[in-house]
Amino acid sequence: MKTAIVTGASGNLGKAVGKKFIDQGYKVIGTVIPNDPALVNFPAGRFEKVAVDLMNEDDAAKFIEEMISKYISIDAAVLTVGGFAMGKIADTKTADIYKQYKLNFETAYNVARPLFVQMMKQKSGRIFIIGSRPGLNAKDGKGMIAYGLGKSLIFRLADLMNDEAKGTNVVTSVVVPSTIDTPQNRSSMPDADPSKWVKPEAIADIIYFYCTFLYNLVWF
């Protein structure tokens, strides 16, 4: 049975990704924040829920070490944890940037780094990190300075990891979705047309599909 790690497993996207990989025969290890009250109802034999603070580098490293010891190899990882904040340059302090940096970059890097090292040892693996258009293009980050800066490092990280892994079967991909159709987004944008948004299940399908390809930037 192949093994996949999904961070943020209790979120809308995390649940969709977890279900997709479980349906495809994977054992999924899903992370949640400590004391997370959200329910994640997957078959016990196919899913393991682990509470871990991914902003704590030592805790994240210990989590990955324990999963490697338990499952020997990790075939895929989908890192969905992140946060969002509005704010123009005039309103954005370094403390705001640091918060978004921790939420969007450190939570990914603290997991991706030890996983990348392991995948290089086992000579195969796929890492998917959720990016964003504000993090990719400056024009899309207008009014979202801290968020855009925090997410921008995801793309550079993927480039560096793929360069180091060149010629191997280890690939890091950045998934760049448009607005995701979630209850939270519908509530916060009541005048928008959600029919134009992407479903979490569609993102999960794309991620699983690209698990077998060597692309490192996924658009939809």
Side-chain angles (χ1 to χ4, degrees), residues 9-217:
S10 63
N12 296 288
L13 181 55
K15 285 181 180 177
V17 171
K19 182 178 186 304
K20 179 66 179 182
F21 276 78
I22 288 171
D23 288 347
Q24 296 299 320
Y26 277 70
K27 173 66 178 260
V28 171
I29 302 102
T31 74
V32 298
I33 60 173
N35 303 313
D36 187 347
L39 295 177
V40 186
N41 295 316
F42 292 132
R46 290 296 185 99
F47 180 75
E48 178 179 352
K49 184 172 74 172
V50 181
V52 56
D53 178 7
L54 298 182
M55 287 193 287
N56 185 306
E57 185 174 14
D58 292 337
D59 288 355
K62 182 179 178 181
F63 158 66
I64 296 300
E65 181 181 348
E66 290 175 350
M67 293 305 103
I68 293 169
S69 177
K70 186 173 184 177
Y71 296 103
I72 309 303
S73 67
I74 305 296
D75 299 285
V78 185
L79 313 183
T80 76
V81 173
F84 176 77
M86 297 292 293
K88 297 180 179 180
I89 291 176
D91 305 316
T92 302
K93 297 182 178 180
T94 53
D96 301 316
I97 296 172
Y98 183 59
K99 181 178 180 180
Q100 288 297 304
Y101 163 82
K102 288 185 69 68
L103 282 170
N104 291 293
F105 181 74
E106 283 195 5
T107 57
Y109 187 75
N110 289 344
V111 175
R113 184 180 69 85
L115 273 179
F116 178 77
V117 172
Q118 170 61 22
M119 289 177 176
M120 291 293 283
K121 289 179 181 177
Q122 65 192 37
K123 302 185 186 305
S124 67
R126 296 289 184 272
I127 298 173
F128 294 87
I129 311 175
I130 306 303
S132 72
R133 294 174 189 269
L136 182 62
N137 297 310
K139 63 181 179 63
D140 292 322
K142 189 176 181 180
M144 295 170 273
I145 301 304
Y147 173 71
L149 288 171
K151 280 290 190 183
S152 68
L153 288 174
I154 295 298
F155 297 91
R156 178 55 61 87
L157 174 62
D159 286 342
L160 292 168
M161 292 172 72
N162 284 322
D163 186 69
E164 187 169 329
K166 191 176 295 182
T168 74
N169 193 29
V170 177
V171 181
T172 302
S173 301
V174 180
V175 182
V176 188
S178 57
T179 304
I180 302 175
D181 188 0
T182 67
Q184 294 87 344
N185 282 339
R186 286 184 179 233
S187 177
S188 64
M189 295 179 277
D191 297 327
D193 181 4
S195 67
K196 298 179 180 179
W197 298 349
V198 61
K199 301 280 187 188
E201 293 77 13
I203 300 174
D205 289 343
I206 290 286
I207 289 173
Y208 182 78
F209 175 79
Y210 278 93
C211 255
T212 60
F213 288 83
L214 297 178
Y215 297 96
N216 61 15
L217 183 61

